[in-house]
Amino acid sequence: MANKKNSIKEMSFLDHLEELRWLLVRSSAFILGGGIVAFIFNDFIFNTIIFGPKKTDFVTYRFFCQLAQKYDLDKSFCQAELPFEIQNRTMDGQFSVLIWTCITAGFVIAFPFILWEIWKFIKPALYQKELQYAKRFIFISSLLFFLGVGFGYYVITPLSINFLANMQVSDIVKNEIDLTSYIGLVKTTSLSCGLVFELPIIIYFLSVLGLVTPEFLREYRKYAIVLILIIAAVITPPDVISQVIVSIPLLILYEISIYISKFVQKKDPKDKSNQELSKS
């Protein structure tokens, strides 16, 4: 039998739209609240976080510099100054950057609350056994997201900035980077990695729906590895250690996703049949 708590009356299409509307309203309110907090601490966010990878004493540069000196590798990280300047070329450029950066920071801060709202939206369609995983879902998804944002910020962003800053087609051309271009790179890279790190969660739900199987993931593993290595080669300097450092977390996530899909597939068949009967 389906749980009584879940046996609520069926909602019409308009009722679902209303629930979705309130989900978006509450999520926007959380983002706005996080954005206000970010605005209060905007000096720290810009000078310490956003422009941190512009400074040569950034923790990632110091790490790779020590690594390069120890193993006699590419020493592009061991430099007194990154050869580019950041400039603003529009009247409202700095104001727009301030607002949109605060909104982005608000999204990062509010991410666990947004997940909670999404969970409440899909909750009526779940069984009691599945509802027990709510806290785990929120915690693991948030943890993966923040790990991904940290990986993007501390690894991929400085590697990209260092590589692009030292890239010159001619000595005549000077790198004077627009403010929006620089901040766009930092934000896009960090947020993209945060979302990519949600891969195990996405695979879990796709496996529950029967759209993905561990056999499928194993079959296409070699293509996934090649794709990951290509991405690592593009965004890192031309040395093996940097590429390996970027590739390892992505490969681990892919392997974890295979085990997650396998775990979903190995669920008790009797439990699945009972769920099907309770739905019918």
Side-chain angles (χ1 to χ4, degrees):
M1 288 179 62
N3 192 318
K4 291 183 179 180
K5 292 183 180 179
N6 275 345
S7 59
I8 59 176
K9 61 180 181 180
E10 289 190 10
M11 299 172 64
S12 67
F13 178 72
L14 292 179
D15 290 332
H16 282 295
L17 284 181
E18 181 68 12
E19 287 293 321
L20 180 60
R21 184 175 75 87
W22 279 108
L23 182 154
L24 296 175
V25 168
R26 289 190 293 268
S27 297
S28 300
F30 286 130
I31 293 173
L32 179 62
I36 292 173
V37 173
F39 182 81
I40 295 171
F41 297 97
N42 72 86
D43 286 340
F44 172 78
I45 289 176
F46 278 95
N47 294 324
T48 303
I49 298 178
I50 297 293
F51 295 121
K54 172 71 173 69
K55 304 170 184 176
T56 54
D57 62 348
F58 190 63
V59 59
T60 306
Y61 300 142
R62 287 190 277 112
F63 171 77
F64 279 104
C65 178
Q66 293 171 2
L67 208 63
Q69 291 174 340
K70 185 175 181 180
Y71 296 102
D72 193 25
L73 301 172
D74 175 45
K75 293 183 175 59
S76 62
F77 292 99
C78 305
Q79 47 191 338
E81 184 180 5
L82 287 173
F84 74 97
E85 295 293 330
I86 300 174
Q87 61 177 344
N88 174 52
R89 297 184 297 172
T90 58
M91 185 64 70
D92 64 340
Q94 297 199 48
F95 178 75
S96 298
V97 162
L98 171 63
I99 297 302
W100 284 107
T101 300
C102 288
I103 291 174
T104 304
F107 173 78
V108 174
I109 295 170
F111 190 77
F113 302 101
I114 296 173
L115 284 178
W116 177 248
E117 289 297 326
I118 294 173
W119 180 266
K120 287 197 300 182
F121 181 73
I122 65 175
K123 181 179 177 181
L126 302 176
Y127 295 98
Q128 180 61 30
K129 187 174 182 180
E130 294 166 330
L131 292 174
Q132 296 173 359
Y133 299 119
K135 293 181 179 179
R136 296 181 189 177
F137 168 76
I138 302 298
F139 174 76
I140 295 174
S141 298
S142 300
L143 178 63
L144 287 172
F145 178 75
F146 290 129
L147 285 174
V149 170
F151 179 74
Y153 174 74
Y154 282 106
V155 180
I156 296 184
T157 295
L159 290 176
S160 301
I161 290 175
N162 182 78
F163 174 72
L164 295 173
N166 288 283
M167 180 68 184
Q168 280 187 294
V169 295
S170 172
D171 293 335
I172 299 175
V173 182
K174 293 183 180 180
N175 284 328
E176 295 179 348
I177 310 301
D178 189 72
L179 177 63
T180 56
S181 176
Y182 173 85
I183 294 183
L185 185 147
V186 176
K187 290 194 299 184
T188 302
T189 302
S190 301
L191 287 179
S192 298
C193 287
L195 297 176
V196 167
F197 270 54
E198 294 293 316
L199 178 64
I201 302 298
I202 296 172
I203 293 297
Y204 172 80
F205 283 106
L206 291 178
S207 298
V208 169
L209 295 173
L211 300 176
V212 170
T213 64
E215 291 77 18
F216 174 84
L217 295 174
R218 289 194 191 98
E219 182 180 352
Y220 288 93
R221 178 194 278 129
K222 56 185 178 182
Y223 301 107
I225 292 174
V226 171
L227 180 61
I228 289 171
L229 292 175
I230 291 174
I231 293 172
V234 169
I235 64 176
T236 59
D239 66 83
V240 177
I241 291 184
S242 299
Q243 295 170 13
V244 169
I245 289 174
V246 171
S247 300
I248 286 176
L250 301 179
L251 292 172
I252 291 174
L253 282 174
Y254 192 84
E255 293 300 321
I256 290 174
S257 299
I258 293 176
Y259 282 102
I260 288 174
S261 182
K262 185 177 179 181
F263 168 77
V264 172
Q265 196 177 61
K266 281 188 173 181
K267 288 178 70 175
D268 188 1
K270 293 181 180 179
D271 183 58
K272 281 188 176 180
S273 62
N274 289 335
Q275 289 185 4
E276 292 297 329
L277 287 173
S278 62
K279 280 186 176 180
S280 60

